[in-house]
């Protein structure tokens, strides 16, 4: 089955620690996205990548970093500079930047210990 | 940045009732998307709209692209318990997708 896989489902971060959230897709999609979801708020874009080896900052990129070394993979690192990391993180992909029909993974809940 | 306003913020309805929610933007859109998110999961695309005035159905769900191109509506007929979740509207802003804050739907059986 084609889809987007996020792991882990739950993640805990200690103060000062960097953590990496995994996102893998086998849909052969060119574009991938990371969103952050806080209760009562819409999805806010962190980073996106339209092609391998290229990515752009979204609306709330500070304290986060990404890489896009392979078409299938778009990992997100939450760095110690992100002072309020507790949130539900969603990865998505689309066939290309001209089509904005996003397909989402099942999310990672990040909490701070 | 671009903002989408969804209303109502939440609804608590009786099973069997019809549901209406809407989304407005400050600028004109050429695409409207409606997603549903169940607890602990990622959003799933329900309906995509591409033309002003377009009316599209998906089972008990019907969505409309407003003729002003600044709004969209989602209706659910004869609600059932599995309709619970958060419904998001979304639209393009440049080469990105922006989302409303969502309408939380709860159904009493």
């Amino acid at each position: 089955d084609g889809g987007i896989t996020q792991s882990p489902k739950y993640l805990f971060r200690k103060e000062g620690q960097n953590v990496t959230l995994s996102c893998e897709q086998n849909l052969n999609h060119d574009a991938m996205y990371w969103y952050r979801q806080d209760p009562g708020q819409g999805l806010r874009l962190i980073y996106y990548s339209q092609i391998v080896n290229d990515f752009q900052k979204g609306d709330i990129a500070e304290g986060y970093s990404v890489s896009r070394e392979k078409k299938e993979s778009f990992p997100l690192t939450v760095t110690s500079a992100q002072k309020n990391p507790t949130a539900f993180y969603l990865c998505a992909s689309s066939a290309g930047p001209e089509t904005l029909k996003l397909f989402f993974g099942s999310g990672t809940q990040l909490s701070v210990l | 940045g671009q903002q989408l306003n969804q209303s109502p913020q939440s609804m608590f309805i009786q099973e069997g009732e019809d549901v209406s929610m809407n989304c407005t933007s400050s600028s004109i859109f050429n695409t409207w998307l409606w997603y549903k998110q169940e607890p602990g999961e990622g959003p799933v695309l329900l309906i995509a709209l591409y033309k002003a005035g377009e009316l599209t159905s998906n089972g008990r769900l019907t969505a409309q692209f407003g003729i002003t191109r600044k709004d969209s509506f989602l209706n659910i007929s004869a609600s059932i318990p599995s309709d619970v979740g958060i419904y998001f509207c979304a639209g393009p802003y440049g080469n990105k997708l922006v989302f409303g804050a969502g309408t939380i739907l709860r159904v009493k059986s």
Side-chain angles (χ1 to χ4, degrees), chain A residues 12-83:
Chain A
F12 297 91
R13 193 190 90 166
K14 295 180 183 176
E15 194 170 333
Q17 187 182 38
N18 293 350
V19 292
T20 297
L21 284 60
S22 170
C23 179
E24 304 276 332
Q25 55 99 359
N26 60 5
L27 299 167
N28 199 33
H29 282 173
D30 287 321
M32 297 186 75
Y33 308 80
W34 275 104
Y35 285 88
R36 170 178 170 142
Q37 184 177 24
D38 294 281
Q41 298 191 34
L43 282 62
R44 293 184 291 167
L45 184 63
I46 305 172
Y47 267 98
Y48 63 105
S49 168
Q50 297 177 346
I51 197 168
V52 175
N53 293 322
D54 187 44
F55 49 82
Q56 287 78 41
K57 292 181 180 180
D59 301 317
I60 55 165
E62 186 174 349
Y64 300 97
S65 66
V66 293
S67 63
R68 187 83 186 279
E69 297 176 2
K70 297 188 298 182
K71 188 175 186 178
E72 309 81 44
S73 180
F74 191 40
L76 173 75
T77 296
V78 184
T79 75
S80 57
Q82 172 51 248
K83 297 307 179 189

Side-chain angles (χ1 to χ4, degrees), chain B:
Chain B
Q2 170 67 355
Q3 299 243 345
L4 295 183
N5 297 307
Q6 272 190 260
S7 65
Q9 192 172 10
S10 66
M11 306 177 75
F12 194 12
I13 61 168
Q14 188 70 42
E15 182 178 359
E17 287 184 4
D18 296 343
V19 172
S20 292
M21 60 189 79
N22 68 75
C23 189
T24 60
S25 74
S26 54
S27 57
I28 290 173
F29 279 359
N30 55 25
T31 300
W32 283 99
L33 304 173
W34 284 93
Y35 284 85
K36 177 190 177 186
Q37 183 181 30
E38 297 186 2
E41 297 295 327
V44 174
L45 181 65
L46 297 173
I47 294 177
L49 302 161
Y50 300 104
K51 199 165 63 172
E54 180 181 355
L55 191 71
T56 297
S57 294
N58 178 3
R60 291 177 296 105
L61 278 62
T62 301
Q64 184 164 21
F65 195 140
I67 57 173
T68 67
R69 298 173 62 192
K70 291 186 176 183
D71 54 10
S72 181
F73 309 89
L74 178 70
N75 297 312
I76 305 173
S77 63
S79 59
I80 60 178
S82 62
D83 289 334
V84 299
I86 307 176
Y87 291 80
F88 291 102
C89 62
Y93 184 63
N95 58 0
K96 298 177 285 186
L97 200 61
V98 292
F99 288 81
T103 292
I104 300 171
L105 179 63
R106 298 184 180 92
V107 179
K108 287 185 288 187
S109 55

